[in-house]
Amino acid sequence: MTTQQTRQVVEKYFTDLENGDLASALSALAEDVEFELPRDQWNEVIPYLGVHRGVAEVTRAFQVRGETTEVLDYGMRDLRVEGDTAFAVIYTKGAHTRTRQEFEIEDSHRLVVADGKIVAWKVYFDPNGEVAAFNADREDRLVAAVWASDHALVTELLGTGARVDHRDRSSGLTPLMIAAGQADAPMVALLLEAGADVFTADSGAGATALHKACQGGSLDVVRALVDAGAFIDAVAPTTGHTPLMDALWFKYPDIAKHLLDAGAGLNLSTHYGFTLKEHFEYELNVNTRGKDRLLLAEQYLKARVAGDDARIEGHRLMAAVNAGDVEGVRALLAGGVDVDELYPIVNGFNDGHTALLVASRDGHTEIARLLLDAGADVNATEPTFGAVPLHKAVYNGHVALTALIAARPGVDLDFQGATNGYTPLHDALWHGYDECAAILLDQGARLDLRGHDGKTPLDLATEVFGAEHDLTRRIAAAAQQDER
């Protein structure tokens, strides 16, 4: 093909497209034409992208585009031709047919002509504007699909990047809360796999997905959320309800039992003044239907209380630690007691603690030494503050305990607590225990870590002791050295 012949074919082709004469335009294509619109993971939401071979496939691509895009303006901006190859710049202004969001594209086309027909056509363009138009209602469609239990559409939308935690505009619920409330276990699994947040609360009552699951009544959903790390004792800020309270309220004894077995607290109160026990007694009094399920739940509650009482009585090591009974602890360890046995969750000061955590908190240095020598976990964490034994020791200013634990092989000097992100060094400085802080510095505690308030150890030392204090000067000099 000569340059002039190629130009004539290509100019007529784009003129036909501009005039909306698709049939005439398609007649310019070779039967085995190859039409490529580059497709990747970032633009796959646009359905007509990809490689299309033959006139039939190209025709179908145009049909799909016509179904999804209304062309508002279209025209050639530039054309360069050399032999059988043409390079065209095309401007398109369109609007997505569903979202009505408009976009503009200026793309480059490379076309090869042979025997008067276009045999190859490749388009180079920035699809971001068009992708945005397709995705303008993506999150709202996700929410609607979850309400409709449309697992296939949810999978598709998540695959194209839909934000899994987008809230329903009317209810304030996230997709995970919706699926949990509807007892849709497969949908919950799908959303969790996509990274749905099990901790966030709804914007109306402050309830979590686990609260919704206890309303929905699916034990499988509750199991999935608990396994995903949902807070069992999350408290709704409006009612004060925990998930267990909701499980009892909605008469799902099997769910109540699962939460009880997982350690749900029994000594919490609603924000309207009822303890859990009073809340449950009220339910027993006002319900005439489904009372058999409430009575079954009552059996599970009583069994849990009895079990807690038995565990407390049987936790002889904790009793000895509480009493400061060194010889008692020594004897129990010699008898093979479980050195890391956890105290039951009874909404008390020792909940979920090991004996070492309590000994470190309460200043029992010799007992802590015995426990460590018996293999106690030096980095055990408790569930209330997410603290380790070293936090407990420095927080309470126990110098000898701090020295003992900080020098222990395997100790994590820089463990950051869950509630405030403070390391043991942060805690020692925060509470003004300079001797404990000095021990941690001697052991090599890090100086660059920040708490959730953004403060470094130097910030706290300056705030508590002043910039001219010897300890503050030491930390400042060490921090400066670390930066080098």
Side-chain angles (χ1 to χ4, degrees), residues 30 32-36 110-113 117-122:
D32 60 350
V33 65
E34 181 172 288
F35 173 34
E36 182 180 355
R110 180 180 184 274
L111 303 98
V112 178
V113 179
K117 298 285 187 178
I118 298 170
V119 297
W121 175 21
K122 185 171 182 177

Side-chain angles (χ1 to χ4, degrees), residues 1-343:
M1 293 292 293
T2 67
T3 296
Q4 184 59 32
Q5 290 171 324
T6 299
R7 177 181 294 275
Q8 289 174 352
V9 171
V10 172
E11 282 184 337
K12 182 177 186 305
Y13 179 66
F14 283 115
T15 298
D16 287 340
L17 289 178
E18 183 176 355
N19 293 333
D21 190 349
L22 183 59
S24 179
L26 291 173
S27 69
L29 303 179
E31 283 299 319
D32 60 350
V33 65
E34 181 172 288
F35 173 34
E36 182 180 355
L37 288 155
R39 181 185 183 94
D40 57 35
Q41 61 176 319
W42 310 113
N43 64 23
E44 61 185 8
V45 69
I46 304 175
Y48 52 82
L49 301 187
V51 178
H52 309 286
R53 294 182 174 87
V55 174
E57 287 191 14
V58 174
T59 301
R60 179 57 187 157
F62 274 108
Q63 289 172 344
V64 173
R65 191 187 191 210
E67 293 165 0
T68 59
T69 304
E70 178 185 353
V71 177
L72 305 175
D73 191 9
Y74 184 90
M76 183 185 296
R77 293 292 187 262
D78 193 13
L79 179 63
R80 297 285 188 272
V81 183
E82 183 176 336
D84 64 354
T85 303
F87 298 89
V89 176
I90 304 298
Y91 169 80
T92 303
K93 181 177 182 180
H96 191 275
T97 54
R98 187 186 66 250
T99 68
R100 300 311 307 167
Q101 180 161 313
E102 296 184 2
F103 61 91
E104 294 180 287
I105 293 176
E106 192 169 71
D107 40 27
S108 298
H109 299 242
R110 180 180 184 274
L111 303 98
V112 178
V113 179
D115 298 326
K117 298 285 187 178
I118 298 170
V119 297
W121 175 21
K122 185 171 182 177
V123 183
Y124 305 86
F125 73 112
D126 178 356
N128 287 339
E130 191 168 0
V131 169
F134 271 85
N135 287 336
D137 63 349
R138 182 180 57 187
E139 276 69 33
D140 289 339
R141 292 176 69 210
L142 174 66
V143 168
V146 174
W147 276 118
S149 296
D150 189 338
H151 299 82
L153 182 54
V154 168
T155 300
E156 175 188 331
L157 291 168
L158 291 173
T160 60
R163 297 190 303 277
V164 69
D165 292 318
H166 179 76
R167 292 183 185 272
D168 181 8
R169 297 177 190 276
S170 59
S171 68
L173 304 180
T174 66
L176 183 62
M177 294 172 191
I178 295 167
Q182 295 189 147
D184 190 339
M187 185 71 80
V188 166
L190 179 61
L191 295 168
L192 288 175
E193 179 67 22
D197 187 351
V198 298
F199 306 110
T200 191
D202 74 69
S203 57
T208 66
L210 187 54
H211 285 92
K212 303 303 178 185
C214 293
Q215 176 181 349
S218 169
L219 179 56
D220 287 341
V221 170
V222 170
R223 282 199 186 102
L225 293 173
V226 172
D227 290 347
F231 290 130
I232 291 178
D233 285 331
V235 175
T238 50
T239 61
H241 281 200
T242 64
L244 176 58
M245 290 176 184
D246 279 354
L248 297 171
W249 190 20
F250 286 96
K251 308 186 192 75
Y252 292 119
D254 56 339
I255 292 177
K257 183 178 187 303
H258 186 78
L259 296 174
L260 288 166
D261 291 345
L266 302 185
N267 296 310
L268 298 170
S269 298
T270 69
H271 289 170
Y272 46 86
F274 284 3
T275 64
L276 184 143
K277 180 181 177 182
E278 291 168 338
H279 170 83
F280 184 67
E281 288 174 349
Y282 182 81
E283 292 303 313
L284 281 172
N285 288 332
V286 300
N287 278 278
T288 56
R289 293 182 179 274
K291 199 161 188 173
D292 56 327
R293 296 196 298 273
L294 287 172
L295 293 173
L296 179 58
E298 185 178 37
Q299 293 179 32
Y300 295 146
L301 281 170
K302 288 180 177 178
R304 165 64 189 280
V305 171
D308 285 350
D309 290 344
R311 287 182 62 196
I312 292 171
E313 186 174 345
H315 204 317
R316 294 178 296 157
L317 182 60
M318 191 66 80
V321 171
N322 285 333
D325 183 356
V326 175
E327 293 308 314
V329 168
R330 195 190 308 275
L332 288 167
L333 293 174
V337 70
D338 180 2
V339 71
D340 285 324
E341 181 183 357
L342 298 179
Y343 199 75

